[in-house]
Amino acid sequence: MTDRKLTFNQQSEISFNEEHWQKINFNMGCFERNFAKGKINYRNMDLEKQRVHILRNKSLDNLEKLLVDFETHFTDNGGNVLWARDADDACNMIFDIMKKERATVVSRSNSMTLDEIDLNGFLKRKNLDLVETSVARFVLQLAEMKPYHPLAPAVNLSKEEINEILTKGFKLKPDSTPKQMVNFVRHKVSNDLKEVKVCVTGANFIISEEGCVVLSENEGNILRSTSTAKVHIVVAGIAKVIPSIDDLGILLPLLSSHATGQSMAAFNTITFGPAQEGDGPEKMYVILLNNGRSEVLSHEKQRQVLSCIHCSACVSVCPIFKNVGGYTYDAAHVGPMGAVMLPLKESLSEFGHLATACSLCGKCTEICPVKIPLDDLIIENRHLLETEKIADTRFDTMIKTMIWHCKSRKKMDSPLWMKKLELKRFMGPSWGERRMMPEFAPKSFSQYWRETRQN
């Protein structure tokens, strides 16, 4: 969807157009309205947020012990725990399990963690088939497009565009209704899953004390795929661990209310391991993924971002995301959370610019269910950029030049047309085509002062 050779500004120019802007802002507005309705279920939401904030930060402080306890208890339940240092490790582990099971096709759920390790690209390079279980992901796979939004991957597509994609791929009526399209995809996925031996999912939470995995969804496709597959593989970031199953009483409702405005997601599954009898996988693996999270933990302030429960509320209210779109970030983690995490987890030189792609409006901090001060953490990343000397030197030079210009009384008293010309020459290349250039007053302060004294 984007080209790595392009800058963030150039990519945002490609992503942005008036029709696209209206569509995204309308859809993001729906998320905000649903959240406003979901708040009614809480007598004191701020108190619940504070409880979750304390819970998640305590989990980070005791991360090592909680993960070891999870491995012990999950293994006792009959499952297998694998530790992946990075994305390549995780993908190779999945591939090894598939070879062991002689599987050539795998199903997957909608998961940012699976996008983070680029599972789809890895399987394609290995010439293995993939079944997307969610409706939106199925459409995107057919169109060879990447997910746009963490919670609603195809939110950038209209029903007409989705209908066109499905009509090209299958014998579907060009004027099909959304209900007909959803029913068609669900029927197709259901048939495809009959041939799938191995399914891969993410995890909303992993629980240390009981040694189990929590999966929350609305379509029911995860539950369907885990019921029919012989092997279930879970890829979970190490920060997803929580102490006890009792903690779900506050976590799941808060997650659902901030994600979709629901009091609770339609399907919430707690899996303790492989099935002992009846439907369910014969084998179950949990791959605990580090992939730079230890590096994030080493930062005293920014480590708070790992307490995120991935509701995507911060993305839905972010004015930058609404304007530049999900593809501009060119990563699995987008929006304010991505702006904090990616420079630390991946590369400060490659993703450091995301810290400057923020208006510091504070909406993300205000809506966050875990009370993560995202705007403050973005400022910390900006400070880190300056400390490491990785900031945009061209932009810094431009600002210093303008400061020098504005401090010169002679230049500030020059004609208005000359000041506009110099401003465009100095700032134009880095300012972007769609941003309005700052306007000079018709007269400088000294000119007004002289005229006032004369009068």
Side-chain angles (χ1 to χ4, degrees):
M1 292 297 96
T2 54
D3 189 341
R4 278 289 187 189
K5 295 178 182 178
L6 299 178
T7 66
F8 183 89
N9 286 343
Q10 291 169 330
Q11 290 170 348
S12 64
E13 288 289 337
I14 294 171
S15 300
F16 183 88
N17 60 65
E18 190 65 28
E19 181 185 352
H20 178 268
W21 184 85
Q22 291 178 354
K23 189 192 307 178
I24 297 305
N25 274 263
F26 173 79
N27 290 332
M28 293 302 101
C30 291
F31 278 112
E32 292 187 64
R33 287 191 292 274
N34 289 337
F35 169 69
K37 293 177 183 177
K39 286 174 66 176
I40 299 173
N41 296 324
Y42 286 88
R43 187 174 299 175
N44 190 341
M45 177 172 276
D46 194 61
L47 177 61
E48 292 297 291
K49 285 184 175 183
Q50 187 62 34
R51 291 173 65 190
V52 171
H53 173 78
I54 294 170
L55 166 66
R56 291 295 289 131
N57 280 283
K58 278 188 175 179
S59 298
L60 290 181
D61 291 339
N62 297 287
L63 192 60
E64 185 177 349
K65 181 181 183 304
L66 291 175
L67 289 171
V68 171
D69 288 347
F70 168 79
E71 180 179 26
T72 301
H73 297 141
F74 187 73
T75 304
D76 290 342
N77 293 338
N80 301 278
V81 175
L82 306 172
W83 298 75
R85 182 170 41 196
D86 52 29
D88 289 339
D89 270 1
C91 287
N92 287 323
M93 287 173 181
I94 293 171
F95 182 61
D96 289 342
I97 294 169
M98 290 183 68
K99 282 200 301 184
K100 185 179 178 181
E101 299 297 327
R102 297 180 181 178
T104 58
V105 59
V106 64
S107 67
R108 62 154 285 176
S109 66
N110 180 32
S111 166
M112 276 190 284
T113 309
L114 299 184
D115 291 331
E116 181 185 326
I117 65 174
D118 190 23
L119 179 63
N120 291 32
F122 176 83
L123 294 173
K124 188 175 182 179
R125 292 190 293 272
K126 295 291 185 179
N127 295 316
L128 296 171
D129 294 326
L130 174 70
V131 175
E132 292 281 8
T133 56
S134 72
V135 174
R137 290 277 185 168
F138 182 92
V139 172
L140 292 177
Q141 182 188 32
L142 200 61
E144 296 184 348
M145 297 172 68
K146 292 182 179 180
Y148 187 93
H149 183 280
L151 189 66
V155 73
N156 58 313
L157 299 177
S158 66
K159 63 180 181 181
E160 290 79 16
E161 289 170 324
I162 292 173
N163 186 235
E164 183 180 351
I165 291 168
L166 292 174
T167 303
K168 285 182 179 179
F170 303 96
K171 293 180 180 179
L172 197 68
K173 294 180 181 178
D175 56 348
S176 298
T177 64
K179 185 177 180 180
Q180 288 172 329
M181 288 187 281
V182 168
N183 287 339
F184 169 79
V185 173
R186 288 178 65 84
H187 179 72
K188 178 72 172 63
V189 169
S190 181
N191 285 335
D192 290 345
L193 286 176
K194 293 176 182 178
E195 306 299 323
V196 176
K197 293 181 180 179
V198 178
C199 71
V200 185
T201 70
N204 291 92
F205 306 103
I206 56 175
I207 303 179
S208 174
E209 189 176 313
E210 288 80 10
C212 56
V213 177
V214 181
L215 301 165
S216 185
E217 57 171 333
N218 277 314
E219 292 185 31
N221 294 312
I222 296 177
L223 187 59
R224 183 188 300 172
S225 61
T226 56
S227 298
T228 56
K230 291 184 177 180
V231 179
H232 179 195
I233 304 172
V234 176
V235 182
I238 56 174
K240 291 287 185 76
V241 67
I242 59 174
S244 170
I245 201 170
D246 295 334
D247 300 323
L248 296 178
I250 55 172
L251 282 167
L252 288 180
L254 211 58
L255 171 63
S256 299
S257 63
H258 283 74
T260 57
Q262 297 168 273
S263 57
M264 187 70 79
F267 299 90
N268 294 284
T269 307
I270 303 175
T271 304
F272 290 84
Q276 303 300 318
E277 56 182 28
D279 294 334
E282 298 172 4
K283 299 176 185 177
M284 187 169 175
Y285 298 84
V286 172
I287 298 175
L288 296 174
L289 179 68
N290 189 328
N291 202 32
R293 286 166 176 80
S294 293
E295 179 61 31
V296 181
L297 282 168
S298 67
H299 293 268
E300 183 180 354
K301 294 181 179 179
Q302 292 97 316
R303 73 198 308 265
Q304 295 179 71
V305 75
L306 291 177
S307 65
C308 174
I309 58 175
H310 300 283
C311 65
S312 301
C314 63
V315 178
S316 300
V317 300
C318 178
I320 304 300
F321 178 88
K322 290 177 182 179
N323 281 279
V324 305
Y327 291 144
T328 303
Y329 293 84
D330 204 9
H333 302 283
V334 300
M337 194 269 287
V340 177
M341 182 183 287
L342 286 171
L344 306 176
K345 191 175 77 67
E346 300 292 341
S347 167
L348 195 62
S349 59
E350 187 177 3
F351 290 101
H353 63 273
L354 295 180
T356 61
C358 176
S359 64
L360 298 178
C361 65
K363 283 189 174 182
C364 52
T365 297
E366 182 182 347
I367 202 170
C368 179
V370 195
K371 297 178 80 71
I372 303 172
L374 288 162
D375 52 349
D376 289 343
L377 302 185
I378 288 172
I379 292 174
E380 287 295 326
N381 276 7
R382 290 183 181 183
H383 176 69
L384 192 61
L385 283 172
E386 292 295 331
T387 305
E388 299 291 331
K389 307 296 183 185
I390 304 178
D392 187 342
T393 53
R394 185 177 177 182
F395 188 82
D396 287 349
T397 303
M398 176 195 75
I399 294 297
K400 288 176 182 177
T401 304
M402 288 308 302
I403 291 172
W404 168 79
H405 184 282
C406 293
K407 281 184 175 181
S408 168
R409 177 53 51 203
K410 182 179 179 181
K411 290 186 177 296
M412 290 304 290
D413 286 344
S414 62
L416 184 62
W417 66 268
M418 186 177 295
K419 287 187 284 189
K420 285 184 176 181
L421 182 64
E422 289 185 351
L423 185 70
K424 188 175 181 180
R425 185 177 65 182
F426 287 134
M427 298 185 68
S430 298
W431 202 246
E433 295 180 11
R434 298 186 185 276
R435 297 173 68 185
M436 293 181 64
M437 295 289 288
E439 289 286 338
F440 282 105
K443 298 178 182 179
S444 69
F445 175 80
S446 62
Q447 289 169 336
Y448 274 116
W449 179 258
R450 286 193 296 270
E451 290 176 4
T452 303
R453 291 190 65 182
Q454 288 174 0
N455 295 332

